[in-house]
Amino acid sequence: MNFTDIQVELREIEARIEQLHSEIEKMKPQAEEEQKENYAAITRLAYQHPVKNETFLKTTEHVKKMTIGSLSYFFVADKQDIYDRMLYLCRLSKGIGLEWSAEDIYKEGLGFDERDMGNLCRDLWDDKYAYLTEAFMIAGLSEDVRNFMPVVADLAQMFDCDKEEIRVIAQVAKSVLEDNTDILNEIQVTVPERWCGQFRDYIPYKWIIDQRIKCDEICTVRWMGKDESDEEYEAKSNTNKTIPGSTGEKQESRKRQPATVKMQLENGNLVKKGDCILEYDKLSVFRETKQDLFRSSEIKTKKQTKKILAPCDGIVYYVDFEKKSRIEGKMDHYMAIYVVSYFDDYDSFLYAVQG
């Protein structure tokens, strides 16, 4: 269930908890018993729709508590219009195995010591993008997001984030809140290596797969018959029939290089649409028939320089692989060229394309 569905559901039950929503939003004093009932209502709804997050699920119990407690301190405790943010934090708490109630989260926020942020930053340094994405998302659940932007900016500064990091994190959070992956296509980066494999809890894997665009495939080593043209090779590869004019006897084979790479960007390089990824000489082998009495023929070659251009912005990945040659006991060598998302991971990409 996405955020849009949850928001619709919240509005449907608003009639039953209208008084709760109003009083929490305005932070009016309430009787202790009534307040506990309100917290219990939030907790019940949150536990029906936990937010799974593998990043925080793998952290220690202490880090989980510090994460939820700090987010409550910055965005919920002693604040106005807290209903949606409290609900989300309760859902996240349930999803990462902490299972705090709404009341627990509120109290932990009140008791959080901001001086502990130094330790939390150290513990979450490798997962800072996940923490800051949560911060942006929770801030985005406020009726007036601008009130929390200075808070989010201060948190990003604690993690030594630069402008690009803040911008990218904000766009990823927005795409989740609005359930709109088109926003991801608008993201521009200048330091691609920092984003590899990031945001796995926030970017759908299907979207990552859809961004894996195969630009081309070139053959770098091919085993052929000694006096065989490309056309004859392809025909024999696609059918098991003997080509007319052939004796059908086993031919002497030779190794050819149909493509010779002249220029190639490094694996993982950032590319823009239209950039030249790879330039190579394509060697074609063809049979030319002589205009003589016997209509004899001879094998000739033709070289053409070709370029492979990036179809979109992204990262270039290469995959080297082999195919069984038509010549017994030999393997032909190929290289496939892809442009993928900044957020793709090379190991998972290789595993997916190589099976």
Side-chain angles (χ1 to χ4, degrees):
M1 181 176 291
N2 57 43
F3 280 91
T4 303
D5 295 331
I6 292 298
Q7 294 300 325
V8 171
E9 184 171 341
L10 292 179
R11 300 307 170 246
E12 291 176 351
I13 67 169
E14 214 169 24
R16 290 183 285 137
I17 56 175
E18 185 176 359
Q19 183 179 3
L20 161 69
H21 195 178
S22 176
E23 292 184 351
I24 292 180
E25 184 175 282
K26 297 179 182 179
M27 294 297 291
K28 292 180 179 179
Q30 295 176 316
E32 183 177 350
E33 187 173 337
E34 182 182 6
Q35 195 173 52
K36 286 183 177 295
E37 290 177 0
N38 294 336
Y39 286 139
I42 294 174
T43 303
R44 285 194 299 272
L45 180 59
Y47 277 29
Q48 292 172 17
H49 307 286
V51 174
K52 297 294 177 65
N53 189 300
E54 293 298 325
T55 299
F56 294 114
L57 195 59
K58 295 174 183 177
T59 60
T60 65
E61 189 79 2
H62 173 71
V63 172
K64 291 176 185 177
K65 291 179 179 179
M66 291 285 286
T67 297
I68 300 298
S70 63
L71 291 172
S72 175
Y73 169 76
F74 289 115
F75 299 105
V76 173
D78 201 25
K79 306 289 189 301
Q80 293 186 345
D81 122 68
I82 68 171
Y83 179 81
D84 289 345
R85 299 194 301 281
M86 169 95 68
L87 175 62
Y88 178 76
L89 269 179
C90 201
R91 293 176 59 211
L92 180 62
S93 169
K94 173 67 175 177
I96 65 175
L98 193 56
E99 301 196 16
W100 276 354
S101 67
E103 184 176 6
D104 293 334
I105 292 170
Y106 190 79
K107 289 180 177 179
E108 287 295 327
L110 289 176
F112 183 80
D113 190 341
E114 194 169 341
R115 290 174 295 183
D116 290 333
M117 277 303 298
N119 293 330
L120 184 61
C121 288
R122 183 198 62 220
D123 293 337
L124 284 176
W125 193 261
D126 291 338
D127 299 316
K128 63 181 180 180
Y129 293 149
Y131 181 85
L132 292 172
T133 301
E134 294 294 343
F136 269 106
M137 287 167 55
I138 296 169
L141 293 172
S142 172
E143 291 183 3
D144 191 352
V145 180
R146 293 172 299 179
N147 289 339
F148 287 106
M149 285 303 100
V151 177
V152 177
D154 287 343
L155 289 173
Q157 189 175 22
M158 291 180 188
F159 284 102
D160 289 338
C161 290
D162 58 32
K163 290 182 179 180
E164 178 178 297
E165 290 175 297
I166 295 172
R167 174 174 50 78
V168 172
I169 295 168
Q171 287 176 288
V172 171
K174 183 179 180 182
S175 75
V176 177
L177 287 172
E178 298 184 7
D179 191 25
N180 181 7
T181 54
D182 288 342
I183 295 172
L184 300 174
N185 294 321
E186 301 170 1
I187 296 177
Q188 298 291 320
V189 306
T190 58
V191 189
E193 55 270 16
R194 66 167 47 147
W195 303 115
C196 177
Q198 297 290 345
F199 303 110
R200 294 182 181 181
D201 293 299
Y202 309 100
I203 297 178
Y205 186 58
K206 182 183 181 305
W207 183 86
I208 293 290
I209 294 174
D210 290 342
Q211 308 312 303
R212 293 171 177 170
I213 300 175
K214 188 176 183 179
C215 307
D216 209 340
E217 180 182 297
I218 63 174
C219 180
T220 55
V221 173
R222 171 178 285 172
W223 287 90
M224 303 172 62
K226 183 178 180 181
D227 297 317
E228 192 172 42
S229 69
D230 290 339
E231 184 179 2
E232 291 165 349
Y233 178 90
E234 294 296 339
K236 291 177 182 178
S237 297
N238 294 331
T239 68
N240 292 320
K241 298 179 180 179
T242 303
I243 301 302
S246 171
T247 62
E249 297 176 355
K250 185 176 181 180
Q251 299 182 36
E252 182 183 348
S253 64
R254 64 180 296 180
K255 182 169 69 173
R256 289 201 172 102
Q257 195 170 2
T260 303
V261 176
K262 298 173 64 178
M263 187 284 295
Q264 176 182 348
L265 295 181
E266 289 186 11
N267 202 54
N269 259 33
L270 179 71
V271 292
K272 299 292 183 183
K273 182 177 181 180
D275 286 352
C276 180
I277 299 174
L278 184 145
E279 183 176 339
Y280 68 99
D281 285 335
K282 180 179 180 180
L283 186 67
S284 302
V285 182
F286 63 97
R287 185 178 297 280
E288 184 176 84
T289 302
K290 296 180 180 180
Q291 300 301 318
D292 58 15
L293 181 63
F294 301 102
R295 303 290 293 173
S296 58
S297 63
E298 63 178 334
I299 292 294
K300 290 193 172 183
T301 60
K302 180 175 65 175
K303 185 169 69 174
Q304 292 175 292
T305 298
K306 291 184 172 289
K307 294 182 179 181
I308 297 175
L309 305 181
C312 59
D313 296 352
I315 302 297
V316 60
Y317 279 165
Y318 303 101
V319 180
D320 295 315
F321 62 98
E322 296 180 338
K323 289 182 182 179
K324 188 175 181 180
S325 175
R326 190 179 57 78
I327 304 300
E328 186 177 354
K330 303 295 184 181
M331 300 296 289
D332 295 337
H333 298 183
Y334 291 82
M335 179 170 66
I337 301 93
Y338 288 80
V339 171
V340 305
S341 164
Y342 309 121
F343 308 112
D344 211 334
D345 174 70
Y346 188 62
D347 290 337
S348 64
F349 163 77
L350 276 183
Y351 180 81
V353 298
Q354 292 182 336

